Amino acid sequence: MTSASPLRPVTPADAAIIAAHRYPDARDLAERPAYAAWVAQAIQDGGYLGFLLEDGAEVIAGAGVTLLHWGPTRGDPQPWRARVVNVWTHPDWRRIGHARTLVTACLDAVRARGITRVSLGSSDMARSLYGALGFTASAHEMTRTLSAAQAQ
């Protein structure tokens, strides 16, 4: 392992790499093209921000944030929310601070846009990192998936 280069912002050309971070398992290969197309457009439109770390020409870690036009809520007139997504580090480069650096860059990027509400989903492995960065678990969120017939 050599030292990684400084982080750099993602571009639409990075969409396939970002999709591979989101869907790293072979069973998810079919999901990658649709996500890559979406993320390329979202980067171009400014709805997805992200950063990558490289070792030479190889991407060794990445993280992104999706900007959500949420609308003002009680006690918070800011209409935007952000969701940290696609945090990934190559196994050979884990536990040396890359994810922390990348997530912090994402938080700085949304803070610079005036966004104050940020969420994320966490694996057990990453929970302590996110806690150290100030994220707290919520017992209030519930989700439901509607079938296509119900959504119409």
Side-chain angles (χ1 to χ4, degrees):
M1 250 186 334
T2 61
S3 61
S5 62
L7 62 90
R8 69 167 178 83
V10 297
T11 70
D14 297 314
I17 292 166
I18 296 165
H21 294 172
R22 183 170 186 91
Y23 298 107
D25 297 328
R27 71 176 186 263
D28 297 324
L29 287 176
E31 305 290 341
R32 289 183 187 177
Y35 190 75
W38 175 84
V39 83
Q41 188 64 53
I43 292 168
Q44 187 173 324
D45 294 344
Y48 183 98
L49 311 171
F51 300 91
L52 298 174
L53 283 171
E54 298 172 325
D55 179 38
E58 179 186 9
V59 172
I60 59 166
V65 62
T66 301
L67 305 183
L68 307 166
H69 197 225
W70 196 265
T73 59
R74 184 179 303 127
D76 186 2
Q78 167 54 254
W80 290 93
R81 300 291 183 267
R83 183 155 180 93
V84 175
V85 293
N86 306 328
V87 180
W88 176 88
T89 303
H90 187 282
D92 293 344
W93 290 86
R94 290 184 179 156
R95 298 285 195 218
I96 55 177
H98 294 321
R100 176 182 300 276
T101 296
L102 289 158
V103 172
T104 299
C106 289
L107 296 175
D108 291 344
V110 299
R111 186 180 296 113
R113 287 164 175 75
I115 299 170
T116 58
R117 303 287 175 114
V118 184
S119 65
L120 54 76
S122 180
S123 65
D124 290 339
M125 181 172 51
R127 195 160 280 116
S128 64
L129 166 65
Y130 298 136
L133 290 172
F135 286 88
T136 57
S138 171
H140 303 290
E141 186 170 321
M142 297 174 72
T143 63
R144 178 176 176 194
T145 302
L146 299 174
S147 68
Q150 290 173 312
Q152 294 176 352

